[in-house]
């Protein structure tokens, strides 16, 4: 698994239609605050790997996972699950929503209304 910085993720979100960026927290956390342009598939979902596979259509396509912050290990667990399932290009945006916002980028969701 590769890790990435906010600037790299921004480039993916604005320029790479093939890469999928997935928030792996529960649906409530996603509704509260998430990175715009991302989808939500909770890592604790019993069909997590299948849902990601249906989303990306091919295990060779890049997949980026993230959670709340570096204090959260959900994205690391998600990346490990995907790699064990045979995904070949898994990246972890370990800084999560907190790191995204700290880098000056906007968030979406109910709590993000006052975001920069």
């Amino acid at each position: 698994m590769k890790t990435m910085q906010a600037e790299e993720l921004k480039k993916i979100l604005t320029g790479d239609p093939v890469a999928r960026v997935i928030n792996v927290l529960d649906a409530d956390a996603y509704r509260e605050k998430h990175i715009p342009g991302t989808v939500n598939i909770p890592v604790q979902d019993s069909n997590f790997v299948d849902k990601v596979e249906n989303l990306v259509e091919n295990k060779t396509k890049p997949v980026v996972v993230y959670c709340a912050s570096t204090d959260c290990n959900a994205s690391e667990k998600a990346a490990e699950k995907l790699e064990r399932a045979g995904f070949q290009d898994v990246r972890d945006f370990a800084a999560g929503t907190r790191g995204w916002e700290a880098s000056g980028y906007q968030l979406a969701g109910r709590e993000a209304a006052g975001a920069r």
Side-chain angles (χ1 to χ4, degrees):
M1 146 191 34
K2 302 173 205 156
T3 58
M4 60 188 333
Q5 302 300 313
E7 296 76 21
E8 295 171 276
L9 181 56
K10 180 72 172 173
K11 286 179 186 173
I12 285 174
L13 286 168
T14 58
D16 188 349
V18 175
R20 297 296 184 176
V21 183
I22 304 168
N23 176 303
V24 298
L25 296 173
D26 64 54
D28 287 338
Y30 180 79
R31 281 190 292 273
E32 291 297 320
K33 192 185 306 188
H34 61 273
I35 297 170
T38 66
V39 298
N40 179 230
I41 304 175
V43 67
Q44 75 268 20
D45 187 311
S46 60
N47 296 317
F48 173 74
V49 171
D50 291 335
K51 288 180 178 182
V52 173
E53 191 167 359
N54 288 334
L55 178 70
V56 300
E57 301 168 2
N58 185 325
K59 290 183 178 182
T60 63
K61 304 283 185 196
V63 177
V64 179
V65 292
Y66 76 96
C67 56
S69 69
T70 54
D71 296 331
C72 171
N73 67 353
S75 63
E76 187 176 334
K77 287 180 180 179
E80 289 170 358
K81 278 186 178 185
L82 294 174
E83 286 180 336
R84 280 195 306 270
F87 286 81
Q88 297 173 21
D89 190 359
V90 179
R91 306 170 196 185
D92 181 8
F93 177 56
T97 52
R98 191 176 303 152
W100 182 258
E101 189 173 28
S103 294
Y105 299 121
Q106 289 189 343
L107 293 171
R110 291 189 296 242
E111 285 187 13
R116 286 173 242 146

